[in-house]
Amino acid sequence: MRLYRAKNYEDMSIKAASILAAQIVTDPNSVLGLATGSTPELMYRNLVEWYKKGYLDFSGVSTYNLDEYRGISGTNEQSYYAYMMKNLFSKVNIKEENTHIPDGFQEDTRKVCKEYEDAICQAGGIELQILGIGNNGHIGFNEPSDSFLEDCHCVNLAESTIQANKRFFEKEEDVPKQAYTMGVGTIMRAKKILLLASGKAKADAVEKLLNGPVTPQIPASILRLHPDVTIIADEEALVNVEEMKI
Ligand code: F6R
């Protein structure tokens, strides 16, 4: 596991975009796993800027998003589909048919999850998976629990996640209570993983990810068992972590 200390959110975002850009340049047909949320927003803006300058070509790239709220359609502006369109897909030359997000409006959980897992497998697996981290240590929407769930599944969102995500919605009641998410196994099968963390709210989770036991109570802690994980965290997210050699 490699840990890079970033000075702040901007520095973290440039470093993260550089790693993603290098992946696309070295393998123009890359299969990427993508995250939503506040953390990667500026990383996506950097990638869009570099695309506009002609440095990047997304025409061969395929993407699989980590998760989607259950019960909202892609036309809902809080859906992760809408987030991805707004922040990346509509601004670069990625082919629509190469972008994949679990269908939040489909009620048949088993069908959605099996098809999503199969599609990732048929694409040859994810080469580089981008992750954020929840305040409670979740990755994707794998919430703290008694066991690690392997494959794509439907999850009841933890109260702390609903509280953390209500800032994106008009009213707390509007926050969906369920989501489809890649499982911990889906994430761990990615060849390379890049986890980003910014801000004080993530400090506890990041410290436990780095120093605590590997436990499904802190789902991100399983990343310590993956052979190729890079973490880029800013100073605020690392306040509880002593200076480490990188
Ligand atoms: C988003 C996702 C979540 C977020 C996490 C952090 O697709 O899977 O795990 O990465 O909740 O969210 P932010 O970045 O909004 O703090």
Side-chain angles (χ1 to χ4, degrees):
M1 187 175 265
R2 289 170 293 274
L3 171 65
Y4 294 101
R5 283 179 176 264
K7 284 192 276 298
N8 50 34
Y9 179 64
E10 286 69 27
D11 188 26
M12 179 202 77
S13 303
I14 283 276
K15 286 178 163 59
S18 306
I19 291 178
L20 219 78
Q23 174 69 38
I24 295 169
V25 169
T26 51
D27 179 1
N29 298 316
S30 287
V31 179
L32 304 176
L34 298 180
T36 59
S38 305
T39 311
E41 271 180 19
L42 184 54
M43 175 191 78
Y44 290 133
R45 280 214 291 284
N46 289 324
L47 290 173
V48 168
E49 201 182 301
W50 297 344
Y51 163 74
K52 285 185 178 154
K53 287 184 171 158
Y55 302 161
L56 289 175
D57 175 9
F58 287 80
S59 61
V61 170
S62 302
T63 62
Y64 289 84
N65 265 76
L66 277 167
D67 40 23
E68 177 61 281
Y69 290 119
R70 183 170 190 254
I72 59 178
S73 74
T75 55
N76 185 317
E77 60 182 36
Q78 302 310 336
S79 70
Y80 286 171
Y81 175 82
Y83 171 104
M84 289 310 303
M85 287 304 287
K86 179 171 153 224
N87 286 287
L88 186 68
F89 297 159
S90 68
K91 296 181 171 159
V92 298
N93 66 335
I94 196 161
K95 294 187 180 115
E96 202 189 332
E97 65 270 26
N98 288 351
T99 66
H100 306 85
I101 301 181
D103 180 358
F105 217 45
Q106 167 71 253
E107 285 194 357
D108 186 341
T109 300
R110 282 182 59 179
K111 184 170 181 303
V112 177
C113 294
K114 184 169 183 328
E115 285 178 0
Y116 205 61
E117 201 66 49
D118 287 351
I120 294 172
C121 197
Q122 272 159 27
I126 289 166
E127 284 159 53
L128 176 59
Q129 174 69 55
I130 307 298
L131 295 177
I133 184 168
N135 301 350
N136 62 3
H138 75 208
I139 46 174
F141 274 136
N142 292 276
E143 300 286 24
S145 75
D146 294 336
S147 58
F148 290 113
L149 284 183
E150 261 278 304
D151 291 340
C152 180
H153 58 282
C154 178
V155 68
N156 294 326
L157 298 180
E159 186 51 35
S160 56
T161 299
I162 292 171
Q163 289 305 319
N165 288 5
K166 71 179 182 198
R167 68 191 193 278
F168 298 114
F169 293 81
E170 228 169 78
K171 304 190 284 306
E172 185 176 332
E173 307 88 87
D174 295 343
V175 187
K177 306 291 178 286
Q178 290 188 311
Y180 294 127
T181 181
M182 285 186 192
V184 163
T186 327
I187 294 169
M188 288 293 278
R189 283 191 285 278
K191 294 184 191 77
K192 290 176 277 185
I193 294 177
L194 172 60
L195 181 139
L196 310 176
S198 171
K200 278 199 291 282
K202 304 295 169 69
D204 187 42
V206 169
E207 195 277 325
K208 287 181 172 142
L209 150 62
L210 292 170
N211 297 328
V214 174
T215 164
Q217 292 302 331
I218 300 291
S221 63
I222 198 156
L223 299 175
R224 299 231 303 276
L225 306 180
H226 190 284
D228 193 341
V229 176
T230 301
I231 297 176
I232 305 179
D234 66 12
E235 281 178 4
E236 288 192 346
L238 287 171
V239 284
N240 297 341
V241 178
E242 285 182 15
E243 196 77 33
M244 290 160 81
K245 256 201 139 139
I246 52 170

